[in-house]
Amino acid sequence: DNKYELTKDIESDTELEAGKTYTLSGGIHVKNGATLKIPAGVTIIAKHDDVVDYILIEQGAKIDAQGTASNPIVMTSEKKEPGAWGGIHICGYAHTNAEGGTGSSEIGGAPYGGNNDADNSGTLRYVRVEYTGFAFDEEHEANGITFYGVGNGTTVEYCQAYKGSDDGFEFFGGSVNVSNLVSVSCSDDSFDWTEGWNGTATNLVAYQEAEETLGYDCDCLIEADNNENNYAATPVAHPVLKNLILVGNNSAAGNRGIRLRRGTQVEIDGAKVCGKKNAVTLESEETENALLAGTSKLANMTVDSELRSEKNIYTNDNFVSAGNTVDTSLKYTSFDDIKAECEWMAGNWVK
């Protein structure tokens, strides 16, 4: 009985059975025109074998994954360790500033990009992905959930990336708006964007457990680019972020909290950042000039170390005079301390 196995591409509308556990083997592509519906309480377990497991939503396809706070959708693996499987990949028709205006997903090689920023790839609500980050090679590792040119017709809220060996959530262009996202102990960056992402993100939490107990180090809490090959590429990355709690693991190696570089713009309103040697670092003239001009804004932030400016264009003095606070005593001693501050994390969807 292979009723509860996902082993082949989804060519037409498919609905999984509520509350059931499915095994995932291989790269499953939801094809153009098809919708994969995943009801609350479904668990998907990636098999531990020599086949790479992931779920990819192609352009023109949709995922409709709607869990609840007390009955989330959980995507995990037989092997309970980071890097065990390939996570979720969504490809849309919204913009990317990659050369030529289109790209190909790092995992699965599916096309993405276009000019429909209102594109709708479906819904992710109360979804937790665990132990993602499978490494195809040195250049290509799978994040928890990756958004490729995803449009703002898509709904993404109440999702968690837990113990992945690459980024928790990564955005390649697109205009998708997200809210209530939690990234816990992902070894690369908790949140990462590039190629001109310009959506909104409200209520973001990143937490990195200490290396001594976790067994591995973690990199940035946010790593942000406009475009690594062309810092001035348009449309310029310019997300609007509100209400962030970002807590690092105080390691010697992963020493940056929010890393704004390669021409990215950003507006951040309300953030607490601690547990990294450098809470905020700025790189590239384009990124710093946008802050100095007021095109980008950092507001209502409390950080535990002075802002570090590579080009010395927008400095810690500018940062503090804009109403932000450097408080070296800011710290969270546990993930529970963060949860206590965030009513939206109620339920059992967050691990």
Side-chain angles (χ1 to χ4, degrees):
D1 176 21
N2 60 4
K3 186 174 172 187
Y4 300 118
E5 289 181 3
L6 297 171
T7 57
K8 57 183 193 289
D9 287 350
I10 290 167
E11 310 265 357
S12 59
D13 291 356
T14 301
E15 181 170 356
L16 305 188
E17 285 187 40
K20 298 293 188 203
T21 295
Y22 289 76
T23 57
L24 170 68
S25 181
I28 306 301
H29 288 225
V30 182
K31 308 299 280 187
N32 186 351
T35 296
L36 171 61
K37 186 168 185 178
I38 308 175
V42 167
T43 300
I44 296 175
I45 302 174
K47 288 184 87 156
H48 179 43
D49 52 23
D50 51 11
V51 181
V52 185
D53 313 314
Y54 63 89
I55 294 174
L56 186 146
I57 315 305
E58 293 189 357
Q59 287 180 313
K62 286 188 172 71
I63 184 167
D64 182 12
Q66 301 197 45
T68 66
S70 58
N71 202 21
I73 293 162
V74 178
M75 300 188 188
T76 186
S77 57
E78 284 181 343
K79 188 182 180 188
K80 303 290 186 206
E81 58 184 62
W85 72 291
I88 302 174
H89 306 264
I90 305 178
C91 297
Y93 288 112
H95 75 269
T96 165
N97 67 23
E99 193 173 351
T102 59
S104 173
S105 63
E106 288 187 323
I107 310 305
Y112 68 92
N115 55 16
N116 179 13
D117 277 0
D119 190 32
N120 179 2
S121 296
T123 300
L124 293 175
R125 181 181 286 129
Y126 292 109
V127 176
R128 181 168 75 242
V129 295
E130 306 176 347
Y131 309 115
T132 58
F134 184 89
F136 287 75
D137 54 46
E138 284 181 13
E139 288 294 304
H140 301 95
E141 285 185 302
N143 307 301
I145 303 178
T146 311
F147 302 95
Y148 292 99
V150 175
N152 58 28
T154 311
T155 300
V156 179
E157 57 188 17
Y158 302 101
C159 294
Q160 181 183 18
Y162 177 82
K163 290 191 176 177
S165 66
D166 197 37
D167 303 323
F169 300 89
E170 181 160 14
F171 301 83
F172 290 85
S175 299
V176 63
N177 301 320
V178 301
S179 62
N180 306 340
L181 301 187
V182 182
S183 183
V184 170
S185 295
C186 292
S187 69
D188 195 9
D189 310 311
S190 304
F191 299 96
D192 189 331
W193 72 75
T194 186
E195 293 186 15
W197 176 50
N198 60 12
T200 62
T202 305
N203 296 340
L204 300 184
V205 163
Y207 176 78
Q208 299 173 342
E209 187 184 328
E211 187 178 3
E212 304 81 71
T213 52
L214 189 58
Y216 55 87
D217 196 11
C218 301
D219 198 10
C220 303
L221 297 162
I222 291 178
E223 185 171 83
D225 298 8
N226 178 41
N227 181 305
E228 66 177 325
N229 301 311
N230 174 8
Y231 295 2
T234 58
V236 177
H238 190 118
V240 176
L241 315 180
K242 285 184 181 166
N243 303 338
L244 281 54
I245 299 178
L246 310 175
V247 179
N249 56 353
N250 289 301
S251 73
N255 60 12
R256 287 177 294 247
I258 299 177
R259 184 184 193 188
L260 303 174
R261 63 177 189 172
R262 294 175 173 169
T264 193
Q265 299 173 5
V266 70
E267 293 174 52
I268 300 178
D269 183 3
K272 296 179 184 176
V273 188
C274 60
K276 288 293 193 187
K277 194 164 133 196
N278 299 290
V280 182
T281 59
L282 307 179
E283 302 168 40
S284 86
E285 290 180 9
E286 292 87 347
T287 292
E288 292 196 31
N289 278 323
L291 278 162
L292 193 66
T295 309
S296 291
K297 297 180 178 71
L298 302 176
N300 301 308
M301 296 177 65
T302 303
V303 299
D304 68 348
S305 58
E306 291 194 357
L307 175 139
R308 192 162 143 260
S309 162
E310 180 191 77
K311 302 296 185 188
N312 222 28
I313 296 168
Y314 184 92
T315 65
N316 187 66
D317 287 345
N318 298 109
F319 180 68
V320 171
S321 67
N324 300 295
T325 303
V326 178
D327 175 2
T328 55
S329 68
L330 176 67
K331 74 184 279 200
Y332 287 84
T333 51
S334 72
F335 183 59
D336 285 338
D337 287 353
I338 302 174
K339 269 186 99 166
E341 256 184 57
C342 301
E343 289 174 13
W344 55 269
M345 284 167 72
N348 63 1
W349 64 280
V350 171
K351 185 165 163 177

